[in-house]
């Protein structure tokens, strides 16, 4: 596994059940770069942290998935988790 994939997984595993639910909701509406589209909300609902990490990396590639995850974490007020994720080379 890649370092960023591992960092995304670690960040998501540190979320509570409610925080993970909020993360998924925000991932469905986060503004994206041109050429990308949001993952459908129904596809995110049943995913746990491991499956969500896999879906993000598959959908957005590892680098952009880490960037998006950090942006959503910041929007959720979880700057410490976002900073840890952004610090992965």
């Amino acid at each position: 596994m890649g370092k960023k994939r591992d960092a995304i997984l670690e960040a998501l595993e540190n979320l509570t059940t409610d925080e993970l639910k909020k993360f998924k909701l925000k991932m469905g509406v986060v503004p994206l770069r041109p050429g990308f589209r949001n993952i459908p909300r129904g596809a995110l609902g049943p995913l746990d942290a491991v499956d969500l990490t896999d879906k993000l990396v598959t959908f957005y590639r590892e680098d952009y998935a880490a960037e998006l995850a950090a942006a959503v974490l910041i929007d959720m007020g979880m700057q410490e988790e976002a900073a840890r994720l952004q610090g992965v080379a």
Side-chain angles (χ1 to χ4, degrees):
M1 270 203 224
K3 286 182 182 180
K4 290 188 180 181
R5 178 188 292 257
D6 290 341
I8 295 167
L9 177 58
E10 184 178 335
L12 295 180
E13 286 179 330
N14 285 332
L15 301 180
T16 66
T17 302
D18 286 342
E19 289 168 342
L20 186 60
K21 188 174 182 178
K22 186 176 180 180
F23 181 91
K24 291 179 206 177
L25 178 67
K26 289 184 174 287
M27 274 306 302
V29 296
V30 68
L32 303 173
R33 292 179 188 164
F36 289 94
R37 61 185 176 89
N38 292 93
I39 301 171
R41 186 173 174 195
L44 294 175
L47 303 178
D48 63 12
V50 173
D51 293 333
L52 181 55
T53 299
D54 187 52
K55 177 70 88 177
L56 292 174
V57 171
T58 300
F59 223 77
Y60 299 120
R61 305 287 183 211
E62 199 167 333
D63 288 338
Y64 191 40
E67 182 183 321
L68 285 174
V72 170
L73 289 168
I74 289 168
D75 189 50
M76 292 172 61
M78 304 187 80
Q79 281 77 8
E80 196 172 308
E81 285 296 331
R84 209 174 357 259
L85 183 53
Q86 290 170 327
V88 176

